Amino acid sequence: MNPAGPGVDQTVWTRVDGRDFPVSNLQKLFWPEEGYSKAHLLQYYLAAGSTMVQYLARRPLTVVRYPDGIHGGSFFQKNCPENAPDWIATLKIPRAEPGESPIRYCLANERAAILWLANQGAIEFHPWPSRQGTLAFPDWAIFDLDPAEPATFQDAVQAAFWVRQALDILGLRGYPKTSGATGIHVYVPVYPELTYSQITRFVHAVARQIQAAFPDRITLERPVARRKGKVYIDYLQNAPGKTIAAPYTVRPLPGAPVSTPVTWQELARGLLPTQFNILTVPQRLQQGVDPFRPVLNEPQSLLPFRKLWQQE
DNA sequence: GCTTTAA
DNA sequence: TTAAAGCAACGCTCA
DNA sequence: TGAGCG
Ligand SMILES: [Mn+2]
Ligand SMILES: [Mn+2]
């Protein structure tokens, strides 16, 4: 018996950028309260995928899958599924512990790979901050700004401007995006010339300066209970093996929000993270708006700031 | 969502 | 024949 | 040495 009911189709074949693959259960409700189906998810990634793929290309990818929608079970997936089509590139990476089996990551080097994974129920995409060829050297540093209750998105916005100010003093540019939840991510595009631990130390050092200047608004404390009402600068998110929600990834939250790059001007004028979702972001991209393009095209060097990243 | 393993 | 089970994990910090 | 953290 068809679990979706009689007369409801299960699988149709589609072609994306010359790749043929089946898509299933298009009518399944992934966001039941909003009435958004799996088809809405796939349509979103079809529209955003050609932009998003630039930020995923040649990066080992972890996905978070929700095969039965946001209220169903979920799981992280690092190893590329055995049944993935052979046109999806993969990269085998040995684990830190020798003797442990390597992980064969998917690489979303083309839009169709995003769509194939989304059909598997992948809602969230989490790429490494480094790329094939320079895997040990991230090409962006991230200031992950997490407001702790009762602090809000607006507090994260304030913190983002303090990050911008601190970077400006160093002559560096950062680019903000909404996390899709209540936080903000500020990306600093860099040449792949510092290791993960050096990047982490750099972000830590800048974060300490900000925390020292605004101690009642910013915290670097790990225990969640001690962050109350402040914005946590999660510099450790730059450590090896950690990932952050990709630019333009969907989040499994009410309203189907999208982690969306914004200009500093938009951030200053005021916005709600929920205004960027799977229905609105495609229109924004259609108008050619992608404030993150410099993250791809304008790497900066952190070599002059040795004091901020070298091992003490 | 799909494959593998257990009942 | 159907039903589970699996599908990640790692370095840092504080107690 | 172990638990919390993301
Ligand atoms: Mn965050
Ligand atoms: Mn975080």
Side-chain angles (χ1 to χ4, degrees):
Chain A
M1 172 55 88
N2 178 344
V8 180
D9 81 313
Q10 300 283 289
T11 298
V12 296
W13 282 75
T14 189
R15 170 174 290 184
V16 174
D17 302 330
R19 306 298 196 183
D20 293 298
F21 56 94
V23 294
S24 57
N25 300 315
L26 286 174
Q27 70 298 329
K28 187 189 279 190
L29 287 175
F30 268 33
W31 283 263
E33 289 78 10
E34 291 80 4
Y36 300 158
S37 67
K38 194 179 173 191
H40 287 92
L41 179 71
L42 295 182
Q43 279 171 15
Y44 168 75
Y45 278 125
L46 192 65
S50 50
T51 301
M52 181 182 179
V53 72
Q54 304 176 89
Y55 302 101
L56 298 181
R58 303 174 73 79
R59 301 178 190 277
L61 180 68
T62 297
V63 294
V64 192
R65 291 174 56 185
Y66 293 77
D68 293 310
I70 68 167
H71 301 306
S74 67
F75 57 92
F76 281 69
Q77 188 163 268
K78 293 189 171 183
N79 270 296
C80 206
E82 281 302 326
N83 60 320
D86 59 11
W87 49 263
I88 294 185
T90 62
L91 182 60
K92 198 175 296 183
I93 299 179
R95 305 204 203 202
E97 290 288 327
E100 302 284 335
S101 59
I103 297 176
R104 182 174 153 270
Y105 287 91
C106 290
L107 305 179
N109 290 342
E110 56 178 299
R111 178 171 70 160
I114 297 173
L115 271 291
W116 185 86
L117 287 162
N119 182 61
Q120 299 301 299
I123 294 180
E124 283 193 352
F125 292 72
H126 295 223
W128 282 28
S130 59
R131 294 193 195 226
Q132 184 177 34
T134 50
L135 274 183
F137 304 97
D139 58 9
W140 55 52
I142 298 176
F143 290 82
D144 173 24
L145 307 177
D146 295 334
E149 290 273 311
T152 65
F153 179 76
Q154 285 316 314
D155 296 295
V157 169
Q158 174 61 263
F161 277 96
W162 290 333
V163 170
R164 186 194 196 196
Q165 180 180 57
L167 292 171
D168 190 57
I169 290 168
L170 300 173
L172 295 170
R173 282 210 249 264
Y175 301 88
K177 70 179 175 72
T178 65
S179 77
T182 60
I184 292 183
H185 303 146
V186 179
Y187 281 45
V188 181
V190 299
Y191 291 100
E193 55 194 8
L194 296 190
T195 65
Y196 276 84
S197 63
Q198 289 168 331
I199 293 283
T200 302
R201 277 198 295 273
F202 172 81
V203 174
H204 190 185
V206 175
R208 268 192 305 250
Q209 296 173 0
I210 299 167
Q211 197 277 330
F214 307 98
D216 51 336
R217 308 287 304 282
I218 298 292
T219 180
L220 306 183
E221 298 240 67
R222 307 292 239 77
V224 171
R226 295 190 207 167
R227 299 178 191 168
K228 277 218 174 313
K230 302 183 182 180
V231 175
Y232 175 56
I233 304 182
D234 188 1
Y235 63 93
L236 287 168
Q237 210 55 42
N238 294 280
K242 306 258 188 174
T243 58
I244 275 199
Y248 300 108
T249 195
V250 181
R251 309 304 301 272
L253 297 171
V258 168
S259 180
T260 305
V262 294
T263 64
W264 289 108
Q265 188 172 52
E266 288 176 302
L267 214 51
R269 288 183 58 89
L271 50 80
L272 287 319
T274 48
Q275 77 189 70
F276 301 110
N277 56 58
I278 59 172
L279 298 187
T280 60
V281 169
Q283 305 169 18
R284 178 179 169 86
L285 290 172
Q286 185 79 29
Q287 293 155 23
V289 178
D290 179 19
F292 248 36
R293 232 171 7 221
V295 169
L296 261 9
N297 302 333
E298 297 177 23
Q300 303 160 100
S301 181
L302 299 185
L303 292 179
F305 311 110
R306 172 174 300 269
K307 278 184 295 297
L308 297 181
W309 53 258
Q310 79 185 344
Q311 184 100 266
E312 55 278 349

